[in-house]
């Protein structure tokens, strides 16, 4: 920090104290409670503006769940971590800060740095990795980038929100060593190295104590030990105890307007249950945040001039390319050279209707989405590409999307229109102030989702609803269903709240012939509900064609083509916030499709459109397998770049990819009597595979490029590994040098090996490069449960310079 930076810090702190001294108790406690879904109240008397927050792991949605103001949609966090490039993550963060400023957002509720403890975690696409060091490094880059742009980050979910089942109440029972060495480690690295301005505490309990009330992990570890001086906000609706939360170090309870803070907190202070100094400490953190983002008069913003503007589409495309992981490339099947390219037979429902992001709060509405079909059609000569569905993983109706043009019309009891707005799909998801202008919860009596549908296929179309309450469904001017959807016995809390998807009617329609559609929802009385929200959906499912016939059509096209490209994917019902996965199989007949196509075309390339691992039982039967994760809005263009050789797939696996679910060493996500025991201790991810002697399909760190590398020398001195390597191929490329430590005759229980450091290098064909990779002291330490501190473990270590965890290229011994 420069002298000028320190001077500005002092001015900000002085302004914070001056503002704090002017506030009375009621104003202070009101400032700690959301005034609505996404913001804190302004206090004009002290020159304090209203702090605005927004979800933002892959794009900044803004405060309204609407497509009227589109957002850039970047690849999923697993894709960003697959780049193994913190500087690339920093550039992504700068773009998101740019988006936040454009939308009037001061605080981005990201990044998510929970670990991939088990491949069943339903929200793992929103997290980075199974490894704490890689997670911390990518998270540090992201946080630094967003805050370079003068926008705050909120690192989440602190801590151990590693699965979705019973996430609101589960007690995660974790021994001190794995808690410190695995689950807290990414948060610590980001706090120390990136100085984030915010932390979000999670819903769950850790070792019996709710994280919003966890004095030890928040006040003692996060603040006193690591030096965190930002604001600590609850996950939405996680705050449950006025006194427990404020004494546990929770600064802000969201969302508002009714929370456990505000008047309730002021009353607790007046009753002597809470010292006013605890309220002052929380308000001080909020005022410091406001000062940093430029919302407090008399305090200079932390960033005076934001970085140069970035091209969102170009960066989204680059990020996708850099995150793609080529896990198999038999006989150099990729890239498809111009001479050998010829015709391409593309198949898979996700090739046409790309899944570019995961389900849940990370959802944004991009201005455009480039599907694999779009990207390849634009890149290939006319007539070279054919497309067939092959297999459709969607087996139940989903929010109306392709072919629908919809809007929502809000009316009062007399039928007078109060307001209306466009809808990106058939899903209405209004929380708090998301309502169209002119509509209010008090005056609305009905909401009609209305518009036109132009079918893409002829046949029997399914229409349905999701939501609780009274509905009327009409298509083509004819009422097809009228009724009430009641609360069922759904075990999943999302389904209990939203209602399960329900088929309501079937209707034969003709391709290309538009029909009017309408779903009217009767708005219930919500006067007694503290958090007002309306959530329901018009659902649709296209004609169910014979699965064998679909596969036969894809096989016929593949047999005649020079190359077959099959896109397989998960669905929202497989990977989403709110629930965990049951297994790792691809939905529908997608495995059958791959096998059938590969049987007739030896040049079959499979593109896997999933945010986290899936089983690939056919992987040895195809020429190439490319993992694209959820690739963001430019995914199809990036795919064409990589398949045609215009760019090298830059990714390395951030998480181990098992051959089968049965091989995964850690799979427990379902609590027993409310407790989820982390019985595996230190052994998750590649650490667990190595301990149990299980060979995965593809190991942690694995990824192939379009060139080859010779590792020539490794020297370790003064805490630094020096690796010299040469690009022995015919193309320029990038290699990720991974350094692992393996103790010899270990005196304490540790994994057999672990990632200690990594670095990316680039070289032209024939060029040699040397990279210096510092080995952090922490890599040689364990958490001493008796001494309650970090302990350096001496002895002999094997230091490995590796291409992946399972591919050691050079090793030397090091004595400590």
């Amino acid at each position: 920090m420069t002298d000028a930076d320190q001077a500005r810090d002092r001015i900000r702190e002085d302004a914070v104290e001056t503002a704090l001294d002017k506030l009375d108790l009621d104003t202070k406690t009101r400032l700690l409670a959301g005034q609505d879904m996404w913001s804190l109240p302004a206090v004009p008397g002290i020159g304090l503006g209203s702090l605005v927050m927004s979800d933002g792991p892959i794009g900044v949605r803004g405060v309204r769940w609407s497509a009227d103001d589109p957002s850039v949609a970047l690849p999923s966090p697993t894709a960003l971590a697959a780049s193994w490039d913190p500087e690339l993550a920093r550039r992504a963060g700068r773009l998101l800060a740019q988006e936040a400023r454009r939308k009037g957002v001061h605080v981005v509720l990201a990044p998510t740095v929970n670990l991939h403890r088990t491949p069943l975690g339903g929200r793992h696409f929103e997290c980075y990795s199974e490894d704490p060091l890689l997670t911390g490094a990518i998270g540090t880059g992201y946080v630094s980038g967003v805050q370079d742009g003068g926008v705050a980050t909120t690192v989440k979910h602190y801590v151990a929100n590693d699965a979705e089942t019973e996430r609101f109440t589960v007690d995660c029972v974790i021994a001190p060593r794995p808690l410190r060495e695995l689950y807290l480690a990414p948060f610590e690295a980001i706090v120390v190295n990136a100085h984030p301005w915010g932390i979000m505490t999670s819903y769950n309990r850790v070792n019996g104590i709710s994280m919003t009330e966890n004095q030890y992990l928040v006040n003692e570890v996060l603040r006193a030990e690591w030096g965190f001086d930002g604001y600590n906000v609850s996950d939405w609706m996680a705050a449950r105890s006025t006194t427990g939360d404020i004494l546990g170090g929770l600064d802000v309870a969201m969302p508002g307007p009714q929370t456990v803070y505000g008047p309730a907190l002021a009353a607790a202070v007046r009753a002597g249950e809470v010292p006013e100094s605890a309220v002052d400490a929380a308000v001080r953190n909020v005022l410091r945040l406001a000062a940093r983002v430029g919302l407090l008069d008399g305090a200079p913003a932390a960033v005076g001039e934001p970085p140069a503007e970035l091209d969102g589409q170009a960066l989204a495309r680059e990020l996708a390319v850099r995150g793609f992981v080529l896990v198999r490339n038999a006989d150099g099947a990729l890239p498809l050279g111009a001479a050998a390219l010829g015709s391409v037979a593309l198949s898979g429902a996700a090739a046409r209707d790309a899944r570019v992001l995961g389900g849940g709060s990370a959802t944004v509405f991009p201005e455009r989405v480039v599907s694999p079909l779009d990207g390849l059609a634009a890149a290939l000569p006319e007539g070279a590409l054919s497309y067939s569905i092959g297999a459709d993983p969607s087996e139940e109706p989903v929010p109306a999307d392709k072919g629908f043009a919809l809007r929502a019309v809000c009316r009062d009891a007399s039928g007078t229109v109060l307001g209306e707005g466009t809808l990106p799909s058939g899903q209405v998801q209004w929380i708090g102030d998301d309502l169209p202008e002119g509509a209010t919860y008090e005056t609305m009596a009905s909401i009609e989702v209305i518009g036109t549908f132009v079918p893409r296929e002829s046949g029997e179309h399914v229409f349905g609803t999701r939501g609780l309450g009274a509905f009327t469904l009409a298509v083509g001017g004819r009422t097809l269903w009228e009724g009430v959807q009641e609360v069922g016995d759904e075990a999943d809390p999302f389904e209990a709240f939203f209602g399960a998807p329900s088929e309501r009617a079937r209707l034969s329609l003709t391709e290309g012939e538009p029909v009017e559609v309408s779903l009217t929802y009767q708005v219930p009385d919500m006067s007694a509900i503290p958090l007002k929200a309306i959530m329901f959906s018009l659902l649709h499912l296209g004609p169910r064609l014979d699965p064998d016939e679909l596969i036969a059509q894809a096989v016929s096209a593949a047999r005649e083509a020079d190359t077959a490209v099959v896109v397989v994917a998960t669905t929202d019902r497989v990977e989403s916030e709110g629930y965990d996965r049951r297994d790792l199989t691809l939905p529908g007949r997608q495995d059958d499709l791959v096998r059938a196509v590969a049987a007739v075309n030896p040049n079959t390339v499979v593109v896997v459109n999933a945010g986290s691992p899936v089983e690939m039982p056919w992987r040895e039967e195809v020429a190439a397998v490319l993992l694209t994760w959820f690739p963001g809005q430019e995914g199809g263009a990036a795919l064409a770049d990589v398949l045609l050789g215009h760019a090298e797939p830059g990714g390395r696996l951030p998480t181990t990819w098992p051959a089968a679910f049965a091989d995964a060493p850690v799979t427990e996500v379902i609590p027993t009597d409310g407790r989820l025991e982390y019985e595996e201790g230190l052994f998750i991810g590649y650490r667990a595979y190595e301990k149990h002697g299980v060979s995965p399909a593809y190991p942690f760190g694995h990824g192939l490029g379009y060139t080859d590398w010779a590792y020539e020398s490794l020297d370790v001195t003064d805490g630094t590994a020096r690796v010299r390597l040469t690009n022995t191929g015919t193309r320029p490329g990038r290699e990720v040098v991974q350094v692992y430590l393996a103790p010899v005759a270990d005196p304490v229980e540790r994994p057999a090996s672990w990632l200690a450091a990594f670095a990316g290098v680039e070289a032209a064909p024939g060029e040699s490069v040397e990279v210096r990779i510092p080995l952090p002291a922490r890599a040689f330490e364990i958490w001493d449960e008796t001494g309650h501190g970090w302990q350096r473990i001496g002895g002999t270590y094997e230091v490995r310079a590796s291409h992946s965890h399972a591919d050691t290229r050079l090793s030397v011994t090091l004595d400590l």
Side-chain angles (χ1 to χ4, degrees):
M1 183 179 290
T2 66
D3 290 343
D5 291 333
Q6 291 177 344
R8 283 192 292 270
D9 264 357
R10 287 192 294 270
I11 295 171
R12 273 194 296 273
E13 289 302 306
D14 289 343
V16 165
E17 294 303 323
T18 299
L20 179 59
D21 289 343
K22 296 178 181 178
L23 298 176
D24 60 31
L25 177 61
D26 292 307
T27 305
K28 286 188 290 191
T29 58
R30 182 165 55 87
L31 189 56
L32 303 182
Q35 66 176 348
D36 53 30
M37 187 68 184
W38 300 112
S39 68
L40 298 183
V43 184
I46 61 169
L48 175 67
S50 175
L51 275 160
V52 177
M53 312 173 202
S54 171
D55 283 312
I58 56 97
V60 181
R61 186 177 59 246
V63 298
R64 298 180 69 84
W65 199 279
S66 167
D68 292 338
D69 182 15
S71 305
V72 172
L74 300 181
S76 63
T78 42
L80 187 60
S83 73
W84 287 60
D85 188 343
E87 279 304 311
L88 188 65
R90 188 166 192 159
R91 290 173 57 207
R94 285 180 173 174
L95 175 63
L96 294 177
Q98 176 179 305
E99 285 280 280
R101 292 193 307 271
R102 181 175 66 82
K103 289 174 174 279
V105 169
H106 310 108
V107 182
V108 171
L109 302 173
T112 304
V113 299
N114 300 111
L115 297 184
H116 297 174
R117 172 179 169 263
T118 155
L120 292 184
R123 202 174 180 178
H124 279 355
F125 60 87
E126 195 180 317
C127 309
Y128 290 130
S129 170
E130 69 187 25
D131 182 78
L133 184 133
L134 177 59
T135 296
I138 299 299
T140 292
Y142 177 101
V143 168
S144 299
V146 174
Q147 295 184 176
D148 284 348
V151 174
T153 54
T154 309
V155 186
K156 62 184 187 182
H157 306 87
Y158 187 73
V159 62
N161 183 185
D162 308 304
E164 295 295 280
T165 305
E166 297 181 24
R167 65 173 173 153
F168 299 101
T169 57
V170 63
D171 182 11
C172 299
V173 182
I174 314 172
R177 274 195 65 194
L179 180 59
R180 286 282 188 159
E181 296 178 26
L182 295 178
Y183 302 102
L184 288 173
F187 291 94
E188 180 183 8
I190 294 168
V191 168
V192 171
N193 297 315
H195 197 55
W197 300 342
I199 290 280
M200 180 188 290
T201 46
S202 52
Y203 294 113
N204 54 284
R205 292 174 287 164
V206 172
N207 297 328
I209 304 174
S210 170
M211 279 308 303
T212 62
E213 304 174 48
N214 206 308
Q215 296 187 52
Y216 170 66
L217 289 177
V218 173
N219 290 335
E220 296 181 36
V221 176
L222 176 64
R223 292 200 183 277
E225 187 180 321
W226 300 346
F228 173 69
D229 68 352
Y231 92 121
N232 174 21
V233 63
S234 70
D235 204 340
W236 266 227
M237 297 179 288
R240 304 178 183 96
S241 167
T242 298
T243 57
D245 289 341
I246 194 68
L247 296 176
L250 182 72
D251 297 326
V252 174
M254 289 296 289
Q258 297 183 36
T259 78
V260 297
Y261 284 175
L265 180 54
V269 172
R270 293 186 174 108
E273 299 168 356
V274 172
E276 191 165 354
S277 60
V279 174
D280 288 346
V283 173
R284 185 175 289 112
N285 293 330
V286 172
L287 292 175
R288 184 179 296 118
L289 171 65
R292 284 169 167 164
V293 299
L295 285 178
L296 182 63
D297 286 354
V303 176
E305 187 68 30
E309 190 161 312
L310 294 165
D311 183 328
Q313 287 187 7
L315 183 55
R317 185 169 181 167
E318 180 186 352
L319 288 166
V321 166
R322 292 286 306 279
F324 287 176
V325 183
L326 182 61
V327 294
R328 176 174 170 81
N329 195 23
D331 301 320
L334 292 180
L336 303 174
L341 180 57
S343 57
V344 175
L346 178 66
S347 61
R352 180 181 64 176
D353 300 329
R355 189 172 183 209
V356 301
L357 41 80
S361 61
T363 300
V364 295
F365 307 112
E367 185 175 18
R368 70 173 202 164
V369 170
V370 183
S371 69
L373 178 57
D374 297 331
L376 287 170
L380 293 172
E382 187 174 352
L385 180 68
S386 65
Y387 171 72
S388 52
I389 295 174
D392 188 346
S394 297
E395 298 174 345
E396 64 181 12
V398 297
D401 185 10
K402 304 298 182 184
F404 287 84
L406 301 170
R407 68 188 190 278
V409 180
C410 305
R411 296 183 174 90
D412 64 15
S414 70
T416 301
V417 174
L418 300 172
E420 61 179 87
T422 57
L423 292 174
S425 72
Q427 181 178 18
V428 174
Q429 185 162 301
W430 296 336
I431 305 174
D433 295 333
D434 282 345
L435 302 179
E437 186 175 354
T440 68
Y441 292 100
E442 293 74 22
T443 56
M444 276 191 306
S446 68
I447 302 167
E448 183 181 17
V449 174
I450 188 170
T452 58
F453 171 50
V454 181
R456 296 189 296 181
E457 297 96 14
S458 297
E460 188 176 59
H461 290 252
V462 173
F463 292 88
T465 64
R466 185 177 192 182
L468 303 178
F471 295 92
T472 301
L473 172 67
V475 179
R478 183 163 59 95
T479 298
L480 299 182
W481 179 77
E482 190 169 8
V484 177
Q485 184 162 340
E486 305 281 0
V487 177
D489 57 357
E490 295 84 3
D492 179 76
F494 266 41
E495 286 199 349
F497 188 69
F498 298 127
S502 301
E503 178 183 327
R504 301 303 186 191
R506 294 179 177 234
L507 190 66
S508 292
L509 300 174
T510 303
E511 177 184 350
E513 293 187 7
V515 293
E516 296 297 314
V517 294
S518 167
L519 177 66
T520 302
Y521 169 70
Q522 302 301 319
V523 179
D525 179 7
M526 290 187 286
S527 57
I529 301 175
L531 177 61
K532 293 177 173 53
I534 291 177
M535 299 185 183
F536 69 91
S537 298
L538 167 65
L539 306 180
H540 171 258
L541 183 66
R544 297 293 83 192
L545 305 178
D546 179 75
D548 291 329
E549 182 180 337
L550 289 178
I551 291 174
Q553 291 171 358
V555 167
S556 176
R559 183 181 286 112
E560 302 301 319
D562 295 296
T563 302
V565 177
V566 184
V567 180
V568 297
T570 57
T571 67
D572 269 357
R573 299 289 281 171
V574 174
E575 290 186 273
S576 175
E577 177 182 355
Y579 43 83
D580 291 311
R581 301 165 70 183
R582 298 183 180 89
D583 54 45
L584 303 182
T585 58
L586 287 167
R589 296 281 301 279
Q590 296 182 98
D591 287 336
D592 294 340
L593 170 65
V594 172
R595 284 192 161 121
V597 169
V600 300
N601 192 319
N603 298 319
T604 295
V605 176
V606 180
V607 176
V608 182
N609 181 193
S612 48
V614 296
E615 291 181 0
M616 301 184 291
W618 33 258
R619 64 187 182 280
E620 299 296 328
E621 303 169 30
V622 300
V625 179
L626 181 69
L627 312 181
T628 63
W629 314 103
F630 297 141
Q633 67 177 57
E634 304 298 316
L639 178 65
D641 290 341
V642 167
L643 293 185
L644 302 183
H646 304 316
E648 181 184 46
R652 305 292 185 266
L653 285 179
T655 199
T656 306
W657 210 274
F661 173 57
D663 294 339
V666 183
T667 59
E668 190 58 74
V669 295
I670 300 175
T672 301
D673 297 326
R675 289 164 58 92
L676 184 60
E677 304 271 356
Y678 284 41
E679 294 178 343
E680 68 283 350
L682 299 168
F683 300 95
I684 66 170
Y686 63 86
R687 296 164 167 84
Y689 284 87
E690 191 168 25
K691 177 183 180 180
H692 295 288
V694 176
S695 296
Y698 301 108
F700 176 78
H702 173 68
L704 307 172
Y706 287 160
T707 190
D708 297 309
W709 297 88
Y711 283 60
E712 297 174 344
S713 66
L714 167 63
D715 297 300
V716 179
T717 55
D718 301 324
T720 300
R722 292 177 175 81
V723 183
R724 183 176 179 83
L725 60 166
T726 298
N727 179 350
T728 59
T730 59
R731 292 174 52 116
R734 180 177 184 269
E735 172 71 332
V736 178
V737 180
Q738 303 163 38
V739 179
Y740 295 87
L741 296 181
V744 178
D746 202 356
V748 294
E749 183 188 38
R750 283 186 289 183
S753 62
W754 59 88
L755 181 69
F758 64 92
V761 297
E762 297 181 0
E767 182 183 4
S768 297
V769 292
E770 183 175 281
V771 60
R772 298 175 70 257
I773 310 175
L775 301 178
R778 182 61 58 81
F780 299 93
E781 297 174 343
I782 67 165
W783 181 256
D784 181 356
E785 296 183 349
T786 302
H788 305 291
W790 292 99
Q791 178 186 0
R792 187 173 175 86
I793 305 298
T796 301
Y797 290 82
E798 183 181 358
V799 181
R800 302 170 177 170
S802 304
H803 176 72
S804 75
H805 180 253
D807 186 358
T808 298
R809 300 295 176 88
L810 297 170
S811 66
V812 298
T813 57
L814 174 67
D815 293 316
L816 290 185

